[in-house]
Amino acid sequence: MVLEHHAHLGRRHLRFRDMANDILGPRWGRYYVGPIQFMVCYGAVIGSTLLGGQCMKAIYLLLNPNGTMKLYQFVVIFGGLMLILAQMPSFHSLRHINLISLLLCLAYSACATAGSIYIGNSSKGPDKDYSISNDKETRIFGIFNAIAIIATTFGNGIIPEIQATIAPPVKGKMFKGLCICYAMLSTTFFSVAISGYWAFGNQAEGLILSNFTQNGHNLVPKSFIFITNIFTILQLSAVAVVYLQPTNEVLERAFSDPKRSEFSVRNVTPRLISRSISVIISTTIAAMLPFFGDINAVIGAFGFLPLDFVLPVIFFNLTFKPSKKRPIFWINMAIAVFFSVLGVIAAVAAVRQISLDAKTYRLFANV
């Protein structure tokens, strides 16, 4: 609604930071919203790269149980795939990949849910333990850490960039799209979460597919694990390519020439170099820090909570200026304050968890 309102006034915003520049002022857009969105998108690329490497390693161990290749080697292989896909010029060129991504999301979620139910009902399944920690501090920080992870899972830090690709009128189309999006997310993600926790209890891994193999024994048919991991790898590559686009746009604004053709040597060369360097850096970070849950929590606390819950309601109040006598004003203020406090606590919890895990893991760990 805010985006469409400003578009009617002749100020069409193509990026999240453009909204912040116009509504909050240029310093907020440049030094707060821009860096946060960059961290969110780049963090999603790092997380996807790490998960892709884990799925590749799972397939490798299926085919060669005594194999000696390490996790970081598979992360690098996935990064090589990303080097190719990252050269997609724009959001518009990703429309077919997005459709395939949706189908893959449905496919691997259905496989993960079915696998968890099968294992939970079979004698092969592990003993279920649903107990929680007796340490009160651990429980409290664990709750806020989980909230940050949930914010990352269901968050979307590129709404303006997506809406900018839609032909007017956009509000109705965007609302329908978001309803479909979150209906799909809720159905698939909650199915996996509930069935996975029921089947494995508090031993459920951040990547539930890891639970399908225990002590070298496959709890479901090998072909089933293989296919599910293939679906996941392909979907993760699509997600990573989408979240690379805002990062690419930041780099290419600095190095490209808008007066030249998109496919001219002058623009293709810096695009190839900048995107390759971006993928190489994200792949290196993913290989160095194999703490997927911790990465998710940090991204959620510092990025998705303010972008998805705090800034939108502030933008609404500043744009439409509802009267302080109207409930909508105070509801928005309450949402902004509540999620600001929640974000601070979740950030502390995420950093705490990383410090705890750092005692267990080392750089380039083969987890």
Side-chain angles (χ1 to χ4, degrees), residues 51-164:
L51 270 180
Q54 289 179 338
C55 291
M56 285 185 170
K57 180 185 174 184
I59 292 175
Y60 170 73
L61 292 177
L62 276 178
L63 302 176
N64 185 11
N66 298 318
T68 58
M69 290 183 68
K70 308 298 183 183
L71 174 62
Y72 68 85
Q73 294 173 292
F74 293 101
V75 171
V76 171
I77 293 171
F78 187 88
L81 172 63
M82 287 302 305
L83 275 175
I84 299 172
L85 295 177
Q87 306 309 321
M88 293 284 186
S90 65
F91 261 130
H92 181 67
S93 61
L94 298 177
R95 61 195 184 281
H96 302 304
I97 288 181
N98 281 332
L99 175 60
I100 295 171
S101 175
L102 168 63
L103 299 176
L104 289 169
C105 182
L106 293 173
Y108 83 71
S109 297
C111 290
T113 302
S116 296
I117 294 173
Y118 173 80
I119 294 170
N121 280 323
S122 71
S123 58
K124 300 178 182 178
D127 294 333
K128 301 179 181 64
D129 181 6
Y130 303 111
S131 63
I132 58 177
S133 172
N134 293 323
D135 186 345
K136 186 176 180 180
E137 178 182 311
T138 299
R139 288 204 308 270
I140 292 174
F141 277 110
I143 289 170
F144 288 105
N145 201 52
I147 289 173
I149 293 174
I150 292 170
T152 302
T153 306
F154 288 89
N156 192 322
I158 51 177
I159 288 288
E161 286 81 358
I162 294 172
Q163 188 160 322

Side-chain angles (χ1 to χ4, degrees), residues 17 19-30:
R17 64 181 179 276
M19 296 176 67
N21 286 343
D22 196 354
I23 300 171
L24 300 178
R27 289 187 177 180
W28 281 93
R30 177 175 297 178

Side-chain angles (χ1 to χ4, degrees), residues 136-149 151 297-298 300-303 305-306 310 336-354:
K136 186 176 180 180
E137 178 182 311
T138 299
R139 288 204 308 270
I140 292 174
F141 277 110
I143 289 170
F144 288 105
N145 201 52
I147 289 173
I149 293 174
V298 171
F302 287 99
L305 281 171
V310 179
V337 171
F338 174 78
F339 281 102
S340 294
V341 174
L342 185 62
V344 172
I345 300 174
V348 173
V351 173
R352 173 184 178 273
Q353 190 61 44
I354 286 180

Side-chain angles (χ1 to χ4, degrees), residues 11 19 24 63 81 86 140 164 189 196 284 299 318-319 362-363:
R11 301 192 302 274
M19 296 176 67
L24 300 178
L63 302 176
L81 172 63
I140 292 174
F189 288 4
T284 303
I299 295 171
L318 292 177
T319 297
R362 56 181 175 79
L363 295 181

